[in-house]
Structure formats: structure tokens, C-alpha cells
Amino acid sequence: MSYTRTLLIAAALLSLPLPAAAEDWLVISGYSYHFERRDEYRADNPGAGWERPSEEYPLSWMAGYYRNSYDKDTFYAGARWEPELVKWEHVKLGVFVGLASGYWTPVVALPMASFQWGRFGFNLVGAPSIREYSGYIGGQVKLKFD
């Protein structure tokens, strides 16, 4: 899926009268940087997803799709735990825990940071190098529904 197609899907989703909560976010996946530089890794990881902060717990629920660095489809679902201790005005640090297809294990627990200003934000996720998989830092842009 190309960036243009991803952006068109995102624009179409934003234009639909979806029953979104005030804090729902459209998340657009886009880029990864691998610590080990290999030609077979994709740096562009187009996709789209959804994010909603919990009203009861220091969590944000997340689900979506992207084309991963190994050129495989990845569908993910889980929650980012964001303890109050590591939260500043526009920055939340936490850990994403959930399930993701397209990797050697479907269970993931990854450090994550979220930056938000009004209706705009971005997420950074990181992973260490494990087995034959290179560690990386990935980025997502997000837009708030309202």
C-alpha cells in the first residue's frame, strides 16, 4: 500500500460520520529506522489505525494495520500503558502490550512514547534486536477526531 493510498484512506475515514469519541485518534503508520542496516528492510511502513485513551485507566487502546519492515502484513491490537509518573504536558511514555501478526512471535511488549498537541500528535515505538530481527525505532502520525 503506497503512502498516497494510505493518505486517501485516512482522508476518507476522517470524512465519514463515524461515532467517534472525543478522544479517538486516526493513526497513520509511516517510517522505521533499523539499527542494523540491511537492504531487505523496508523503511517505509504505510498503514492506518485507531487509538482511544481509556477513561478509567492510564491506558490507550490501539488497533490497526501496516506493512512491516519484512514486507509482511501486520495487524495489531493492544494497549499502551502510560503511568502518571512518566507523563508531562505533551509527552506520555509507556509500553505497548498486545498482539501483532507478521513477526516471529505474535505477543509484543514495546516501549512507546506519544507526543500530542491539540488535534495533532505522533507516536514513537522502539524494539531491541532479538534473534535475527534488527531493533528499530518506528514512527506514526496521528490526528484527533472531533
Side-chain angles (χ1 to χ4, degrees):
M1 188 181 294
S2 70
Y3 281 118
T4 304
R5 187 178 302 161
T6 301
L7 290 175
L8 288 173
I9 291 169
L13 287 172
L14 282 174
S15 67
L16 293 174
L18 299 172
E23 291 296 317
D24 281 3
W25 294 82
L26 170 67
V27 179
I28 301 168
S29 298
Y31 186 78
S32 62
Y33 174 83
H34 287 265
F35 305 139
E36 294 179 34
R37 307 305 298 162
R38 295 186 199 164
D39 289 338
E40 66 265 22
Y41 292 145
R42 293 176 59 110
D44 61 322
N45 309 111
W50 161 87
E51 182 177 316
R52 175 185 286 174
S54 170
E55 295 179 10
E56 299 176 47
Y57 307 103
L59 299 172
S60 286
W61 304 106
M62 303 174 76
Y65 161 85
Y66 62 93
R67 191 75 178 167
N68 74 24
S69 298
Y70 305 103
D71 207 24
K72 295 181 180 178
D73 291 323
T74 295
F75 295 92
Y76 66 91
R80 182 178 64 238
W81 175 58
E82 305 162 325
E84 293 291 327
L85 208 54
V86 288
K87 191 184 289 187
W88 296 278
E89 186 176 351
H90 300 287
V91 181
K92 299 176 187 176
L93 301 179
V95 176
F96 174 79
V97 178
L99 300 173
S101 63
Y103 296 100
W104 65 276
T105 178
V107 179
V108 294
L110 303 169
M112 198 166 186
S114 179
F115 305 84
Q116 298 174 185
W117 298 271
R119 293 188 65 213
F120 175 78
F122 65 94
N123 294 329
L124 291 177
V125 62
S129 295
I130 300 174
R131 296 185 184 179
E132 70 274 6
Y133 291 96
S134 172
Y136 70 92
I137 296 174
Q140 299 175 312
V141 173
K142 59 188 192 175
L143 303 167
K144 187 188 285 188
F145 288 102
D146 42 11

